Amino acid sequence: MAGKRQRLSRKFFLRDTHVVARDLLGKILVRRRGKNIVACRIVEVESYVGHDDRASHASHGRTVRTEIMFGQGGHAYVYFIYGMYWCLNVVTERADFPAAILIRAGEPLEGIDQMKRARGREKLVDLASGPGKLCQALSITGTLNGEDMVTSKTLFMTDDGFKVRKQHLLQSPRIGVAYAGEHALKPWRYFMKDSPYVSRI
DNA sequence: GGTTCGATCCTCT
DNA sequence: GAGGATCGAACCT
């Protein structure tokens, strides 16, 4: 584990989405409500970039729902899916360019009892090993959509100096986007090799 | 071990 | 009115 935790800056999120995605691996996602803190280390993410990306919600244009993806990097894009689950993304790059990174999985670090309660599960690997699970564990819902993670007191990301070596990093096509034509094949899913906390192998 | 299927509702057509 | 950036239980083999 490590050193002092430093919050990720605006500048961090304004860079190229795929670069930010790789850099997010190993960073810490923090959810704070009063004195209650729940945190996990990010082990799996996916990039959704530009209006050409048919897997991206933004490919259907600028709508009420996707407006936040067209905003400035650093904001949270939280959406509801399959009638039951929430998914957390962090918006990247400049305003008016639609791009975001789906936070797919994390390794529980802090507030583990709280996560177990929120999930109704005991095993660590069942707490945040998928985008829906992660949001449930961290109590992330639509009320956090649009939250500025650079300045927010309740949802933000930090760097504790943890380094992810290149040989511990893997890429693959994204999950659940078979409908997206040529973009379905792009290896825009980034995850930590050998981590038991990724959503699947 | 793997595969299928139901839950459940918001968003866009 | 259809389908989805999911999950977990049930049902295969």
Side-chain angles (χ1 to χ4, degrees), chain A residues 3-99:
Chain A
K4 192 172 186 294
R5 290 186 185 180
Q6 187 153 20
R7 186 188 277 253
L8 301 187
S9 68
R10 179 78 59 207
K11 214 168 149 187
F12 181 94
F13 296 107
L14 294 182
R15 299 174 299 156
D16 175 84
T17 304
H18 301 297
V19 173
V20 177
R22 279 189 293 268
D23 282 357
L24 276 182
L25 293 178
K27 299 297 188 288
I28 299 173
L29 174 64
V30 184
R31 172 80 168 112
R32 183 164 71 191
R33 287 179 299 172
K35 290 181 177 176
N36 185 354
I37 294 183
V38 182
C40 62
R41 192 179 303 284
I42 297 167
V43 299
E44 177 181 348
V45 298
E46 285 178 357
S47 296
Y48 290 83
V49 185
H51 35 261
D52 296 337
D53 181 1
R54 283 178 49 201
S56 171
H57 294 167
S59 65
H60 299 293
R62 198 163 179 157
T63 66
V64 174
R65 181 205 200 188
T66 61
E67 181 61 27
I68 188 68
M69 280 190 76
F70 289 81
Q72 192 182 36
H75 292 80
Y77 170 45
V78 183
Y79 67 87
F80 190 67
I81 189 138
Y82 296 123
M84 313 182 70
Y85 300 103
W86 295 95
C87 289
L88 168 69
N89 298 248
V90 58
V91 176
T92 52
E93 309 200 35
R94 62 179 172 81
D96 297 324
F97 180 79

Side-chain angles (χ1 to χ4, degrees), chain A residues 75-168:
Chain A
H75 292 80
Y77 170 45
V78 183
Y79 67 87
F80 190 67
I81 189 138
Y82 296 123
M84 313 182 70
Y85 300 103
W86 295 95
C87 289
L88 168 69
N89 298 248
V90 58
V91 176
T92 52
E93 309 200 35
R94 62 179 172 81
D96 297 324
F97 180 79
I101 297 166
L102 171 65
I103 311 301
R104 283 194 58 91
E107 170 187 352
L109 290 184
E110 253 185 273
I112 289 174
D113 286 342
Q114 164 72 25
M115 294 174 110
K116 287 179 177 175
R117 249 176 288 137
R119 287 276 303 134
R121 306 265 150 179
E122 278 299 312
K123 292 198 284 189
L124 283 187
V125 292
D126 291 335
L127 298 184
S129 55
K133 300 179 196 177
L134 182 141
C135 284
Q136 196 172 37
L138 299 195
S139 304
I140 293 168
T141 67
T143 61
L144 288 169
N145 188 38
E147 189 81 4
D148 186 353
M149 297 180 75
V150 173
T151 58
S152 174
K153 289 182 166 63
T154 61
L155 183 67
F156 52 94
M157 293 172 172
T158 64
D159 181 354
D160 69 344
F162 184 92
K163 301 290 184 206
V164 178
R165 295 174 184 278
K166 210 169 183 179
Q167 60 264 37
H168 289 139

Side-chain angles (χ1 to χ4, degrees), chain A residues 165-182:
Chain A
R165 295 174 184 278
K166 210 169 183 179
Q167 60 264 37
H168 289 139
L169 196 151
L170 287 179
Q171 283 179 251
S172 81
R174 293 169 294 180
I175 305 293
V177 299
Y179 58 85
E182 59 175 304

